[in-house]
Amino acid sequence: MPSKLPDEALPLLRTRREALREALLRWFEREARPLPWRRDRTPYRVWVAEVMLQQTQAETVKRYYADFLRRFPTVEALAAAPLEAVLKAWEGMGYYRRARLLHRAAQQIVAEQGGALPQEAEALRRLPGIGRYTAGAVASLAFGQPVPAVDGNVRRVMARLLALPAPTTGEVEAAVAELLPDDRPGDFNEALMELGATICRPRSPECRRCPWRAFCRAHRQGAPERYPAPKGRPALPHYEVAAAVLIEAGRVLLAQRRPEDMLGGLWEFPGGKREAGESLEAALRRELQEEMAIQVEVGEALLTLEHAYTHFRITLTAFRCRRVAGEVRCLECADFRWADAATLSAVPMAATDRRIAQVVAPLLENAP
Ligand code: SF4
């Protein structure tokens, strides 16, 4: 249930409710970007779009959405597909846990509900990968349920409208619930997100183009960017990671990550983190022994790249390696394979491994 709003927020929402609704919806009808997922609000399509949009910009999602629906046009098709095919369709969008949970939820919907998504936000939230925001978005957009859908954009717009420095999600949900029209909750939620994404941006909001300018307390104070107050973010930990490029008979060794691990189900060049006091080369020799049961000689560095995940950053160096002893076995991975150039391009990989693969592919083609 939405929590109680600060007292000073209620009068604006209640006395100007109709004017706020009308101004926002009219603006949305005029200015909404023609995004592909707005053309068809069938529940499956809305759900796929909302999961993609959880951590990916709309411009990037546009490049994936149509192709994903072409490969998996229905919830049944998604449920029946191998996880590897789903991860491949997701490759490059990052946050692969979303794809695994989407796939698992599709299987649950087919097995338990005959392929129909639940209509209520509470029931949607019981599915894998559907949190508070996604449940609200699917329930309101696909089923017309009058429930809020609060993402970062909506939080920012409402914080500024009401001049709240640090509203909780519950408070923002309560504020949106005050304004949601019963007849168009999906349009209203989408309009609010669109306002945050295109006009009321974190920096340099374009108040002169905003349909809520006449009502907005932060704008009236002359410093909208002060709301909401920025959250202090601790520095991300940094790790140095080494990966092995081990080529034999024109094929390169790949390991598949275990399903329960981060990036589970994706394929990678085997390796791991450097520990304190270790060189990168020593770390790689140790990891190959622990992970794949082989001893390797570490040769030249092929490339080094930087990458930031949500909770840490890495500097990854890929080394050419040569096996000197042992038969490859999977000790700490789900599977392994010796990949030729075609397999290398076909398997799903995270962005960092895909960049290594681009350097490795010509080496395979030129290998004896
Ligand atoms: S008037 Fe400015 S600060 Fe207020 S909601 Fe509109 S864009 Fe955001």
Side-chain angles (χ1 to χ4, degrees), residues 17 19 24 37 56 66 85 95 150 161 203 206 216 248 282 314-315 322-323 327-328 330 353:
R17 180 182 286 142
L24 183 66
W37 46 91
T56 306
Y95 300 95
V150 173
L161 174 73
R203 281 182 287 280
E206 289 191 79
C216 179
E248 294 185 7
I314 60 167
T315 302
R322 191 173 73 83
R323 174 162 56 148
E327 288 304 313
V328 178
C330 247
D353 285 282

Side-chain angles (χ1 to χ4, degrees), residues 27 54 83 131 152 185 238 304 312:
W27 168 82
Q54 281 170 2
L83 175 60
H238 173 258
T304 297
F312 61 91

Side-chain angles (χ1 to χ4, degrees), residues 157 160 199-200 205-207 210 212-213 216 219 224:
V157 174
R160 289 176 178 173
I199 301 278
C200 193
E206 289 191 79
C207 299
C210 179
W212 279 1
R213 187 174 50 155
C216 179
H219 170 65

Side-chain angles (χ1 to χ4, degrees), residues 3 22 57 65 83 101 113 123 126 159 174 217-219 228-229 241 264 282 322-323 326 347 359:
S3 67
E22 199 181 315
Q57 301 276 341
Y65 181 67
L83 175 60
L101 295 179
Q113 302 176 58
R126 288 196 283 275
R217 288 178 174 163
H219 170 65
V241 177
R322 191 173 73 83
R323 174 162 56 148
V347 294
V359 172

